[in-house]
Amino acid sequence: MIDPVTLAGIGGTQATGLAAPAATKPEEASGIGGFGEVLAATSRHMLTDLASAENLSMQALQGKGETREVVDAVMSAERSLQIAIAIRDKIVTAYLEVSRMQI
């Protein structure tokens, strides 16, 4: 699945030959929300992946789930968690850089 953020980064509507509608804000032109909305969507996706992996793991322990599905779900949850950690690290680094700026 292609992430909407990736599509916006490579031109989105311009890749199909259509002109982007005139917008007053950059997030309106790209078709995605603001920074907070993107973070919220990412965290919701991560929580969904973690819950799915947990549910499939519990089903497998009870003998009701397939091992392959559990492995796929756990790997997806791990990938989501690593992305969340990387985003958090970038936010902390940016905050520290801003706090070091002289006024």
Side-chain angles (χ1 to χ4, degrees):
M1 186 166 108
I2 298 176
D3 191 20
V5 174
T6 306
L7 282 177
I10 60 173
T13 57
Q14 294 173 352
T16 61
L18 300 174
T24 57
K25 296 181 182 177
E27 56 267 5
E28 289 175 3
S30 64
I32 60 172
F35 182 69
E37 292 175 16
V38 171
L39 282 180
T42 302
S43 63
R44 279 192 301 272
H45 182 68
M46 182 197 66
L47 291 174
T48 302
D49 282 350
L50 291 173
S52 173
E54 184 178 350
N55 288 335
L56 285 173
S57 296
M58 292 304 291
Q59 289 177 1
L61 288 174
Q62 296 170 355
K64 300 177 185 176
E66 294 290 324
T67 305
R68 180 68 182 161
E69 291 175 357
V70 173
V71 170
D72 288 341
V74 169
M75 289 177 69
S76 177
E78 180 182 6
R79 190 172 39 248
S80 294
L81 184 62
Q82 289 175 352
I83 290 170
I85 290 170
I87 291 171
R88 182 214 51 197
D89 291 346
K90 291 292 184 178
I91 291 172
V92 169
T93 301
Y95 174 78
L96 292 174
E97 288 294 320
V98 170
S99 68
R100 284 188 215 136
M101 288 182 184
Q102 292 183 358
I103 298 177

